[in-house]
């Protein structure tokens, strides 16, 4: 636990405390009364209420829509499955400003639905909820589906032979085994929607505002750091309460699971029921995920002769010090470095949690790892600039600052993906290897690693994807001559003119392609030639 604790203390707790202290401290005196003043404002209470209920509804809708997809990818085998799995994950890595813009082009004024049927959903909560489902669909599919694919199907088949209906067998056998993964996925979706920024800002208009949007408005538009600091504390307390309830209510049932080779659990669809579920999932993916992406690609191709793409190679637009196309290489370099950091820190943390005795310290450490998903990225970005400006950690001019900020968001995904599988490893296997003379390192290499290799690769893919699309903190610390893809897209969207908008759509399309290729390679590497993980 020492490595992950030190990492979070230096690169998360210290920056957040530094920026909050700057907002609530004046002339060496803490202005704690400011907390009551801010919370008592009716507008702030309205923001708190909207932030909470839209996150709950978004989480419920995402689970309802995505759980059938998790079943299809875990249990059914069909042509194009690996390609579709990569495509499903693409929306999750898109910057939230791009997600909001894609849905605006779909459901907003002059969008596809407006042109066809005169239907507009922009400036309504429905557009926000749909965009949140679009964004978080892959979280449920890959987190729940990763464990579901390794559950022994013979347990459910035994229940069916004893007379249970398919629904009862799933409810009494499979669902309890999936409960930890479902809870972990729901927690991540809730945290992402609770701190939603770009989607709400673009689709909600002035009528809707989450805590994250309000923190950004108070910081960048009103320059009121004290109010922003109070809202950051409120967000921190709310997220901490959610994590505490999660740790208290979720029982550790992974040890009762029986895991098998995932390559033998997926079968061709049999019967009308499985074919209907597969058709429904494919239709959902086509309408909810592929259609907004298609609109995005179409907008990038509106200029003749790929004009928007060719403009990415020029520096005469005045938006960047370098050609926007350089953002692709920058993002890939940062993402690889951030993935390496996130996998190392996350794997150490998951191993510590899996072998812990579930005491208060271990449970508190588990909750600590999830905090970066629920704390304002705007606060973390500003905190990096404020806290990491003096030796021995004067990193403001160092390239490593961006991967460190991105890794903070990637570590929770690594932990939540690997932890259920690590806890499901039968401890007697380790004991048997130790009795036969294997060292602790060899026990890990020969027993644990073969069983968690698939989860480790999925965790690495998630960390890479999150790093590619991270925007909130990166926008404050990325150097002008080394922009990332999300930062470049946001800057182009913030400038008027069709050329800037078209270049933003072109860069977003490139980001989608890069992510899809990376995830497709990951899917190909998940299994070796023998089909074993």
């Amino acid at each position: 636990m020492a490595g992950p604790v030190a990492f979070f203390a230096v690169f998360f707790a210290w920056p957040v405390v530094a920026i909050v202290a700057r907002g609530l401290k004046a002339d060496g005196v803490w202005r704690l009364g400011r907390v009551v003043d801010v919370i008592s404002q009716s507008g702030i209470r309205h923001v708190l209420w909207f932030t909470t209920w839209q996150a709950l509804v978004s989480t419920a809708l995402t689970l309802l829509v995505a759980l059938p997809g998790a079943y299809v990818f875990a249990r059914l085998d069909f042509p194009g499955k690996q390609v579709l799995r990569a495509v499903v994950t693409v929306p999750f890595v898109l910057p939230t400003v791009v997600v909001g813009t894609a849905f605006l082009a779909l459901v907003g004024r002059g969008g596809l639905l407006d042109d066809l049927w005169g239907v507009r959903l922009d400036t309504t909560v429905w557009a926000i909820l749909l965009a949140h489902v679009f964004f978080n669909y892959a979280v449920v599919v890959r987190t729940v589906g990763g464990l579901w694919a390794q559950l022994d199907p013979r347990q459910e088949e035994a229940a069916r032979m004893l007379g249970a209906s398919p629904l009862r067998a799933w409810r009494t056998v499979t669902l309890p085994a999936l409960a930890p993964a479902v809870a972990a996925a729901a927690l991540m979706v809730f945290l992402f929607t609770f701190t939603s920024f770009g989607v709400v800002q673009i689709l909600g208009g002035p009528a809707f505002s989450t805590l994250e949007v309000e923190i950004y408005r108070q910081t960048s538009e009103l320059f009121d750091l004290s109010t922003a600091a109070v809202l950051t504390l409120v967000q921190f307390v709310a997220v901490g309460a959610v994590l505490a309830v999660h740790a208290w209510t979720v029982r550790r049932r992974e040890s009762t699971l029986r895991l098998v080779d995932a390559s033998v659990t997926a079968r061709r669809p049999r019967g009308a029921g499985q074919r209907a579920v597969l058709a429904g999932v494919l239709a959902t993916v086509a309408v909810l995920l592929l259609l907004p992406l298609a609109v995005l690609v179409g907008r990038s191709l509106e200029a003749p002769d790929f004009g928007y793409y060719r403009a990415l190679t020029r520096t005469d637009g005045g938006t960047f010090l370098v050609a926007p196309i350089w953002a692709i290489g920058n993002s890939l370099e940062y993402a690889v470095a951030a993935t390496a950091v996130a996998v190392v820190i996350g794997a150490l943390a998951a191993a510590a949690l899996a072998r812990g005795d579930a005491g208060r310290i271990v449970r508190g450490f588990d909750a600590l790892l999830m905090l970066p998903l629920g704390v304002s990225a705007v606060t973390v970005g500003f905190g990096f600039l404020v806290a990491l400006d003096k030796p021995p950690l004067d990193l403001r001019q160092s390239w490593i600052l961006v991967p460190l900020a991105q890794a903070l968001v990637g570590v929770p995904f690594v932990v939540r993906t690997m932890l259920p599988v690590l806890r499901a490893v039968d401890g007697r296997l380790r004991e048997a290897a130790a009795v036969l003379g294997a060292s602790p390192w060899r026990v890990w290499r020969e027993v644990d690693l073969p069983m968690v290799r698939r989860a480790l690769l999925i965790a690495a893919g998630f960390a890479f994807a999150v790093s590619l699309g991270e925007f909130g903190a990166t926008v404050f610390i990325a150097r002008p001559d080394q922009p990332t893809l999300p930062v470049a897209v946001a800057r182009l969207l913030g400038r008027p003119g069709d050329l800037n908008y078209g270049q933003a759509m072109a860069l977003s399309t490139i980001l989608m392609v890069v992510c899809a290729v990376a995830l497709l390679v990951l899917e190909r590497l998940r299994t070796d030639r023998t089909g074993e993980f």
Side-chain angles (χ1 to χ4, degrees):
M1 291 173 58
V5 168
F7 177 80
F8 275 82
V10 174
F11 298 111
F12 175 69
W14 186 14
V16 171
V17 170
I19 194 64
V20 171
R22 176 162 295 195
L24 293 180
K25 202 173 183 181
D27 298 327
V29 179
W30 288 92
R31 298 183 298 170
L32 299 181
R34 182 63 178 161
V35 176
V36 178
D37 295 337
V38 172
I39 297 178
S40 62
Q41 299 175 18
S42 59
I44 298 300
R45 290 200 301 269
H46 176 76
V47 170
L48 290 172
W49 167 242
F50 174 75
T51 301
T52 303
W53 80 259
Q54 66 82 24
L56 290 172
V57 175
S58 297
T59 302
L61 287 177
T62 303
L63 291 175
L64 181 65
V65 174
L67 281 178
Y71 165 78
V72 165
F73 283 105
R75 291 301 197 202
L76 302 184
D77 188 19
F78 53 92
K81 178 179 178 179
Q82 291 182 345
V83 175
L84 189 61
R85 194 198 303 268
V87 170
V88 163
T89 311
V90 169
F92 182 71
V93 305
L94 292 178
T96 54
V97 291
V98 177
V99 174
T101 304
F103 268 82
L104 193 64
L106 180 65
V107 303
R109 182 177 181 180
L112 182 62
L113 296 185
D114 191 17
D115 292 340
L116 293 178
W117 299 294
V119 176
R120 287 185 54 189
L121 297 177
D122 58 318
T123 68
T124 69
V125 72
W126 289 109
I128 297 173
L129 297 178
L130 288 175
H132 283 164
V133 176
F134 167 88
F135 186 77
N136 293 290
Y137 186 89
V139 175
V140 178
V141 168
R142 298 188 73 98
T143 303
V144 179
L147 180 61
W148 204 336
Q150 293 182 280
L151 293 182
D152 192 344
R154 290 174 294 184
Q155 298 181 16
E156 188 171 331
E157 293 170 358
R160 294 288 308 280
M161 292 182 63
L162 293 175
S165 64
L167 178 60
R168 185 178 181 183
W170 180 82
R171 181 172 53 85
T172 58
V173 177
T174 304
L175 183 58
L178 290 176
V182 173
L187 177 64
M188 286 189 286
V189 173
F190 179 85
L191 291 179
F192 272 112
T193 53
F194 188 82
T195 58
S196 183
F197 174 52
V199 168
V200 177
Q201 189 177 38
I202 294 176
L203 296 177
F208 301 102
S209 179
T210 59
L211 275 173
E212 188 80 359
V213 174
E214 190 64 22
I215 291 173
Y216 177 80
R217 189 176 74 90
Q218 295 289 340
T219 302
S220 62
E221 297 179 9
L222 303 180
F223 304 104
D224 189 349
L225 288 182
S226 63
T227 299
V230 171
L231 294 180
T232 299
L233 288 177
V234 171
Q235 191 179 60
F236 186 84
V237 171
V239 171
V242 171
L243 295 176
V245 171
H246 172 77
W248 179 63
T249 56
V250 175
R251 297 293 180 253
R252 307 305 186 187
R253 286 182 268 185
E254 292 92 337
S255 59
T256 65
L257 304 183
R258 181 179 179 182
L259 301 183
V260 297
D261 185 351
S263 63
V264 303
T265 61
R267 302 174 180 176
R268 291 283 184 175
R270 295 179 297 179
Q274 290 187 348
R275 293 190 180 92
V277 173
L278 176 60
V281 169
L282 294 178
T284 300
V285 171
V287 174
L288 182 63
L289 303 185
L290 296 184
L291 185 58
L293 299 181
V295 173
L296 194 64
V297 175
R299 290 294 180 91
S300 72
L301 297 173
E302 287 182 348
D305 300 325
F306 300 96
Y308 293 144
Y309 289 89
R310 289 189 290 126
L312 296 177
T313 62
R314 301 196 298 263
T315 59
D316 54 0
T319 307
F320 305 100
L321 299 178
V322 296
I325 197 71
W326 285 98
I328 300 174
N330 296 334
S331 287
L332 291 177
E333 292 176 1
Y334 289 145
V336 170
T339 300
V341 175
V343 168
V344 172
I345 298 298
L348 289 174
L353 290 171
R355 304 210 179 186
D357 297 327
R360 291 185 178 181
I361 295 179
V362 174
R363 289 197 299 268
F365 178 55
D366 191 5
L368 170 68
L369 298 173
M370 298 298 293
L371 286 179
L373 297 182
V375 174
S376 170
V378 175
T379 301
V380 174
F382 271 128
F384 267 47
L385 298 179
V386 172
L388 304 179
D389 64 339
K390 297 178 181 179
L393 286 177
D394 187 0
L395 302 178
R396 288 179 300 175
Q397 302 300 321
S398 175
W399 68 272
I400 196 63
L401 200 61
V402 174
L404 289 174
Q406 295 173 343
L408 280 174
V409 184
V411 169
F413 285 94
V414 176
V415 174
R416 293 269 76 84
T417 303
M418 294 187 61
L419 188 56
V421 180
L422 278 173
R423 281 185 171 147
V425 176
D426 194 337
R428 291 173 296 182
L429 296 176
R430 301 188 185 103
E431 295 170 359
V435 168
L436 293 175
S439 63
W441 166 246
R442 187 174 181 183
V443 170
W444 162 257
R445 180 167 53 87
E446 300 289 345
V447 177
D448 292 74
L449 184 59
M451 301 189 70
V452 304
R453 186 180 302 163
R454 179 174 182 269
L456 182 63
L457 289 174
I458 293 176
F462 258 131
F464 183 81
V466 169
S467 300
L468 278 178
E470 205 287 322
F471 170 71
T474 306
V475 69
F476 297 104
I477 57 181
R479 296 171 56 178
D481 59 339
Q482 292 181 329
T484 63
L485 276 171
V487 172
V489 170
R491 291 180 182 174
L492 288 168
L493 287 174
R495 294 176 65 90
D498 292 337
L499 179 60
N500 288 317
Y501 182 81
Q503 288 184 88
M505 296 301 101
L507 275 181
S508 300
T509 302
I510 292 174
L511 176 58
M512 286 192 297
V513 173
V514 170
C515 176
V517 171
L519 294 173
L520 184 58
V521 170
L522 178 64
E523 291 297 326
R524 298 289 294 180
L525 293 176
R526 286 194 316 130
T527 57
D528 57 26
R529 293 182 179 180
T530 65
E532 296 179 354
F533 292 99

